[in-house]
Amino acid sequence: MSSKIFSNGYLENRGGVLYIDGVSSLELAEKFDTPLYVLAERRIRENYRRLYDALKKHYDKVRIYYSAKANTSLSVLKILESEGAYLDTVSPGEVFLALRASFTSDRILFTGTSVRDDELKFLVDSGVTINIDSLSQLRRLLSFHLPEMISVRVNPEIGAGHHEHCITAGRDSKFGIWEDDVIKAYKYAREAGVKKFGIQMHIGSGILTVEPFLLAAEKMLEIARHVHEEVGVDFDFIDFGGGLGVPYRPEEESLDLDLYAEKVLGLYLRRIGEYDLGEPWFFIEPGRYIVCDAGVLLTRVNTLKITPFKKFVGVDAGFNTLIRPAMYGSYHPIIVANRLDSAEEEVYDVAGPICESGDLLARDRRLPRISEGDLLAVLNVGAYGFSMSSQYNSRPRCGEVLVKDGEYALIRRKEDFESLLIGQELPSWLK
Ligand code: LLP
């Protein structure tokens, strides 16, 4: 496993100590306390460029909309803004952060679900492009505003993902619009005077093979053809969503990026020709792929507890800090940052401080013999790590550091007890 972990060039074993793009994990833990998220700028840029280059080889009009929900730290948004990325957002809060990170509104797409009227008004005022998730949303939007451009999220009936919660298309999915209603939506928008159009899908998250993307792409392109033929709509863009997976388990293989680009864009180019769809922009919306393996969570061992049945390593990060293992049963690689050369000779459950039995970062994990005070590094946490963290059990959220070629900077202070009081008021009768 370790050879794979250190093959990306930014995680390094220097004399048994984990360095993250030239910065000692021990120094960071000492200086900023644990738990601590560490993000490597270089890796975010590399991931973005690798993906962009792979797509661009096949077609000139490609755009990557980084899916902000994976990691909305202002620094991450700034890094991607400087790379020329566009942004996929899901809430007014994400739009607010995107604008703060200097994304102009013409680089922001909003794809929300169960969107309120006041949120629609905020989006209109912000000037972002809105991707419609329901006929209701479209009706409500058009009742007070005529956008120049509208996109519709379709449900292509084919979903995929690493966990049922992360499959976002198909019969049981709350997302997107079914084909017949898609036609209705474009007709309605067109009659209302909308001039420019896009079409979008997102089938799920954490997909490591090309097949599901291709099947869904075929279906969405057919829907696009029907819309074009029946409503006379020309598309400015066709957006294939995110979902590009990253291997977490040692036995998992990376998504074959060149194959993805070749097959999906190959199909795209054939079909837009055959269906007479012109030359729309090709969009994708990856979140995980861009930031996942750029993030490390440092957490300190405070307790060793041996029972007749289990060996528990008690650490200071629980599902308040990283919820993926508890929420999806997700696997994250864990290494002992201060003893990288020790052999893995014990099997442990790695347990957080939250008062729930499900608060385990790993079950039955083979690790070197652990001592209290050891520093663990949980890997592949750059996506859906901090962004899903909470104050559960009244634990202030942890800090975040950005590293770059031997330098580092705190990009998010850890919260303190006062943070637990933000916004709280006592009614007069309890004062
Ligand atoms: N576009 C839309 C409309 C989405 O809903 C999502 C993710 C993405 C793009 C980006 O998907 P990605 O490329 O990151 O797979 N919390 C879960 C993942 C939930 C993803 C939700 N939507 C996890 O930790 O695995």
Side-chain angles (χ1 to χ4, degrees):
M1 163 166 102
S2 54
S3 58
K4 221 169 171 180
I5 286 171
F6 296 108
S7 64
N8 57 34
Y10 83 97
L11 293 180
E12 253 183 292
N13 175 349
R14 289 197 197 166
V17 172
L18 175 68
Y19 275 67
I20 309 165
D21 201 13
V23 179
S24 158
S25 57
L26 297 184
E27 185 180 336
L28 291 177
E30 198 57 48
K31 180 143 184 165
F32 298 112
D33 201 5
T34 54
L36 182 70
Y37 276 100
V38 185
L39 291 168
E41 176 167 342
R42 174 153 75 95
R43 189 65 179 168
I44 298 174
R45 292 188 187 278
E46 276 171 14
N47 288 341
Y48 177 82
R49 288 177 197 172
R50 184 183 327 107
L51 186 52
Y52 186 72
D53 292 346
L55 298 170
K56 186 84 176 166
K57 255 196 278 180
H58 300 274
Y59 190 49
D60 243 10
K61 292 174 73 176
V62 295
R63 280 186 195 165
I64 296 179
Y65 281 70
Y66 164 62
S67 192
K69 63 181 80 63
N71 192 319
T72 31
S73 296
L74 216 49
S75 302
V76 171
L77 299 180
K78 274 274 188 190
I79 291 168
L80 289 159
E81 195 282 327
S82 74
E83 286 292 327
Y86 292 71
L87 215 60
D88 160 50
T89 59
V90 282
S91 69
E94 285 189 356
V95 172
F96 165 81
L97 290 172
L99 295 170
R100 273 297 167 90
S102 1
F103 278 93
T104 46
S105 57
D106 57 338
R107 285 168 72 184
I108 304 173
L109 180 65
F110 176 91
T111 300
T113 186
S114 305
V115 186
R116 293 168 16 163
D117 288 0
D118 60 334
E119 294 177 324
L120 286 174
K121 292 195 172 110
F122 170 85
L123 299 169
V124 166
D125 291 343
S126 307
V128 303
T129 302
I130 302 175
N131 189 31
I132 297 289
D133 185 63
S134 65
L135 289 177
S136 153
Q137 189 189 352
L138 180 61
R139 259 187 239 112
R140 287 183 287 118
L141 174 64
L142 291 177
S143 73
F144 69 90
H145 178 70
L146 179 62
E148 198 201 348
M149 151 111 73
I150 262 187
S151 169
V152 171
R153 176 172 185 169
V154 306
N155 182 336
E157 299 177 38
I158 294 141
H162 70 84
H163 184 275
E164 66 174 300
H165 295 347
C166 300
I167 299 174
T168 50
R171 291 187 176 186
D172 293 331
S173 177
K174 68 171 180 169
F175 296 103
I177 303 185
W178 282 83
E179 186 166 357
D180 288 351
D181 283 345
V182 169
I183 305 279
K184 273 192 214 153
Y186 284 102
K187 271 195 182 139
Y188 185 60
R190 189 145 204 200
E191 279 158 19
V194 178
K195 298 270 183 295
K196 295 167 119 188
F197 296 93
I199 187 165
Q200 188 264 10
M201 68 171 182
H202 171 70
I203 61 169
S205 195
I207 304 165
L208 284 167
T209 56
V210 177
E211 194 68 14
F213 291 113
L214 264 183
L215 291 172
E218 183 76 279
K219 178 72 191 180
M220 181 170 67
L221 287 161
E222 274 167 23
I223 296 175
R225 169 164 80 163
H226 291 157
V227 173
H228 174 68
E229 287 174 357
E230 289 183 36
V231 194
V233 156
D234 289 314
F235 291 104
D236 272 49
F237 67 82
I238 303 188
D239 180 341
F240 292 84
L244 286 78
V246 163
Y248 288 85
R249 295 176 183 272
E251 68 275 14
E252 279 172 346
E253 294 292 336
S254 306
L255 174 71
D256 185 337
L257 193 57
D258 289 329
L259 189 72
Y260 170 86
E262 182 196 316
K263 293 279 184 195
V264 176
L265 268 160
L267 178 75
Y268 177 75
L269 295 173
R270 280 200 305 283
R271 295 295 181 255
I272 57 173
E274 280 165 34
Y275 299 165
D276 202 17
L277 294 177
E279 283 197 347
W281 283 86
F282 176 95
F283 292 180
I284 56 166
E285 303 170 351
R288 189 186 315 269
Y289 187 87
I290 307 281
V291 288
C292 179
D293 68 1
V296 174
L297 172 63
L298 300 178
T299 180
R300 186 80 73 181
V301 177
N302 53 53
T303 305
L304 266 181
K305 186 186 281 185
I306 314 291
T307 78
F309 306 101
K310 284 270 172 192
K311 295 191 171 81
F312 291 100
V313 171
V315 296
D316 53 14
F319 73 62
N320 55 321
T321 308
L322 177 67
I323 202 171
R324 302 192 71 259
M327 189 149 172
Y328 314 116
S330 300
Y331 178 103
H332 284 266
I334 297 180
I335 53 180
V336 186
N338 55 310
R339 279 193 294 112
L340 294 177
D341 294 329
S342 306
E344 294 172 349
E345 50 191 349
E346 293 282 355
V347 174
Y348 295 105
D349 278 9
V350 179
I354 296 298
C355 293
E356 293 205 25
S357 297
D359 184 33
L360 297 175
L361 291 180
R363 284 177 201 269
D364 298 324
R365 188 65 62 88
R366 188 163 281 283
L367 292 171
R369 196 175 303 261
I370 300 287
S371 305
E372 291 176 2
D374 277 343
L375 184 68
L376 304 190
V378 186
L379 308 182
N380 280 4
V381 297
Y384 307 108
F386 188 91
S387 65
M388 292 179 83
S389 67
S390 74
Q391 291 180 337
Y392 185 45
N393 277 197
S394 296
R395 291 192 168 273
R397 270 178 285 248
C398 73
E400 227 181 347
V401 164
L402 188 71
V403 296
K404 187 188 170 199
D405 196 17
E407 281 183 67
Y408 58 81
L410 188 67
I411 59 168
R412 192 191 293 268
R413 271 196 317 274
K414 66 173 182 164
E415 295 178 348
D416 56 16
F417 291 156
E418 289 299 317
S419 317
L420 303 176
L421 291 169
I422 290 174
Q424 295 212 51
E425 305 267 2
L426 284 174
S428 57
W429 63 89
L430 290 178
K431 274 186 181 153

